[in-house]
Amino acid sequence: MTDDLDALRTELDAFAKSKPKRANFTPREERIIGGFEDILRFFEQHSRAPQHGEERDIFERLYAVRLDRLRSSEECRNLLADLDADGLLDVQGQPSALSAEEIDTDQLLAELGDGLESGDIRNLRHVQTRAEKKAAEEVASREKCPDFEEFEPLLNQVAADIASGVRETRKFGLKSEIQQGRFFIVGGQIAYVAEMGETFITDHGRSDARLRVIFDNGTQSEMLMRSLQRSLNADGDAGRRVVEADAGPLFSGEHEEGDQASGTIYVLRSKSDHPTVVKHQEVLHKIGVTNGKVEQRIAGARLQSTYLLADVEIVATYELFNVNPHKLEKLIHRFFADVGLDIEIPDRFGNFVRPREWFLVPLPIIDKVVELVKARTITRHRYDASTASILPV
């Protein structure tokens, strides 16, 4: 047993040493690495590389273009070689929407620029060329947002919610949808209506209002409501309004007659003797949702890598009624994404795997999150790992 543990530690140490240490890189290299890590997360979630196509999600199209640029730069391929375990940067036989003449490292860095420096790379500049041409006047009138740090967390959260399915996008339809506090996708960027002045009547007898619109690339525009409407309409199907996913009540406070049982949220603690697990025993929890019995779900845990190849104990359960279990599980995992356990262990066949759904979060915080889900206010909050607290967005 001791020999097996020593071998495991050796393998884990080798893996840790193979990962780039951020302190050794220039800001330029940091930005390239950060952009590729988002592509890796996409690959991990969808089991495929991001692809081009008008029918694709706007963020997938962003990653597809970025991946083309990384593949076409020898400097980037060399820099990212240790991170590319899945061969995403292999240029042999890979489809590309870009020609070699279009790509150089400086252009790539320009694409990575604003988004990575702000901690989120969902800047869609290179998929919005058509939209910019359609709304040139509105884009030209934008200026740097002086207090963007106040809006950035909110815009980042909305982008994450769209990607995880917590929020949905619908085709823009009516001018009445433009209201203060609402989000839109215009010209490939997320736009937030931060302020809306009093409605007035134009010389042509139409109602209008002055808006302050904040964009996720750090700019703002003091535009008229009709200008935003024109931009959204000019984008066609790409002009979208962002809404919260309508899954009905996630919880029923009390079980009432006629309610349909949907499953159970379960919180587990591992009995693994792995050093990392032992070190964080009290705050390391697996959070999941099951439609069946939790006891049946965890049977044979010590044989499954998803349970860290060890027995587990149930530390909390929350019964669900009238809820979409899959959507709720994604929502909770998205909420704790920043504190997910990052560890590789060998499975029964010697293949290294990364177990998911394990989070370094205290149990009382999980209880509070369940309460936020009950109140349907979880999307208005975020988890701050540095203080182990839940804060309003």
Side-chain angles (χ1 to χ4, degrees):
M1 182 65 179
T2 302
D3 292 339
D4 291 341
L5 288 176
D6 290 340
L8 174 59
R9 292 191 187 98
T10 301
E11 292 289 343
L12 293 176
D13 288 343
F15 169 75
K17 292 175 182 177
S18 69
K19 296 183 69 175
K21 293 182 172 55
R22 290 301 185 84
N24 297 333
F25 293 106
T26 66
R28 167 193 180 102
E29 292 170 332
E30 285 270 6
R31 290 158 65 188
I32 295 174
I33 293 171
F36 185 60
E37 286 178 337
D38 261 59
I39 294 173
L40 291 178
R41 281 190 284 272
F42 179 93
F43 180 86
E44 184 177 302
Q45 181 178 359
H46 299 279
S47 299
R48 62 174 175 82
Q51 300 174 9
H52 299 282
E54 292 291 332
E55 75 282 3
R56 302 288 180 183
D57 180 270
I58 55 176
F59 298 128
E60 179 173 358
R61 291 154 58 194
L62 163 68
Y63 296 143
V65 174
R66 180 164 300 159
L67 182 56
D68 282 346
R69 299 189 187 283
L70 292 172
R71 285 171 177 163
S72 303
S73 168
E74 183 177 358
E75 175 192 354
C76 293
R77 293 199 306 272
N78 292 336
L79 174 65
L80 300 170
D82 289 338
L83 289 175
D84 189 25
D86 298 297
L88 293 177
L89 297 176
D90 182 7
V91 297
Q92 298 298 324
Q94 296 286 3
S96 173
L98 303 171
S99 64
E101 297 80 42
E102 291 180 275
I103 304 167
D104 58 41
T105 304
D106 290 336
Q107 185 178 9
L108 170 63
L109 290 174
E111 295 293 338
L112 294 173
D114 295 339
L116 287 179
E117 290 175 352
S118 66
D120 190 296
I121 51 83
R122 299 183 186 277
N123 184 327
L124 308 181
R125 286 177 0 202
H126 50 291
V127 297
Q128 68 178 30
T129 304
R130 187 188 312 170
E132 286 183 346
K133 291 179 179 178
K134 292 179 179 178
E137 291 184 3
E138 282 81 0
V139 174
S141 66
R142 296 182 193 176
E143 59 185 10
K144 183 176 180 180
C145 179
D147 53 349
F148 185 64
E149 67 277 0
E150 296 183 15
F151 301 99
E152 184 178 17
L154 185 60
L155 290 162
N156 288 347
Q157 185 63 52
V158 170
D161 289 348
I162 293 173
S164 66
V166 175
R167 294 178 189 255
E168 300 173 347
T169 65
R170 298 175 184 172
K171 188 178 184 302
F172 175 76
L174 303 173
K175 183 182 68 174
S176 59
E177 295 175 349
I178 300 176
Q179 297 179 15
Q180 183 172 337
R182 287 192 172 176
F183 297 89
F184 300 88
I185 296 177
V186 54
Q189 293 181 328
I190 297 177
Y192 173 58
V193 181
E195 298 175 16
M196 185 173 185
E198 293 185 6
T199 302
F200 61 88
I201 305 300
T202 67
D203 294 339
H204 300 287
R206 298 176 179 177
S207 61
D208 211 339
R210 178 67 63 179
L211 309 175
R212 183 192 180 198
V213 182
I214 313 298
F215 297 88
D216 64 356
N217 67 344
T219 63
Q220 68 174 21
S221 178
E222 302 285 340
M223 61 168 57
L224 292 173
M225 181 169 58
R226 288 193 173 273
S227 296
L228 179 57
Q229 179 188 12
R230 281 197 302 272
S231 297
L232 288 162
N233 287 334
D235 273 354
D237 288 340
R240 315 289 289 183
R241 180 164 71 92
V242 180
V243 298
E244 290 191 22
D246 185 10
L250 289 172
F251 280 86
S252 174
E254 296 181 359
H255 178 30
E256 300 177 0
E257 184 178 355
D259 282 349
Q260 298 297 313
S262 302
T264 304
I265 295 178
Y266 58 86
V267 182
L268 309 177
R269 190 170 292 155
S270 176
K271 296 182 179 180
S272 170
D273 57 2
H274 188 283
T276 299
V277 177
V278 173
K279 179 180 179 181
H280 302 289
Q281 187 83 34
E282 294 303 313
V283 295
L284 179 60
H285 297 102
K286 180 178 174 66
I287 308 173
V289 178
T290 179
N291 292 322
K293 297 286 187 180
V294 179
E295 291 78 9
Q296 294 177 353
R297 178 85 173 198
I298 63 175
R302 64 182 179 278
L303 301 177
Q304 302 179 50
S305 58
T306 188
Y307 295 105
L308 304 178
L309 295 174
D311 289 328
V312 294
E313 61 175 321
I314 303 171
V315 295
T317 59
Y318 311 88
E319 192 172 7
L320 311 181
F321 292 93
N322 304 326
V323 68
N324 183 321
H326 178 65
K327 185 170 290 187
L328 177 59
E329 185 176 66
K330 288 175 62 178
L331 184 153
I332 295 174
H333 291 175
R334 178 71 242 177
F335 192 84
F336 290 127
D338 290 341
V339 290
L341 178 66
D342 186 11
I343 188 175
E344 274 198 343
I345 62 172
D347 63 15
R348 289 182 296 157
F349 308 101
N351 301 313
F352 275 84
V353 295
R354 287 187 174 185
R356 298 301 173 191
E357 301 181 5
W358 289 91
F359 304 92
L360 295 164
V361 57
L363 184 59
I365 292 294
I366 300 175
D367 291 332
K368 291 181 181 179
V369 167
V370 172
E371 292 302 317
L372 291 176
V373 172
K374 290 180 180 179
R376 302 192 69 182
T377 59
I378 188 172
T379 57
R380 304 176 195 170
H381 296 80
R382 65 181 179 87
Y383 182 60
D384 183 1
S386 64
T387 60
S389 59
I390 299 174
L391 302 177
V393 173

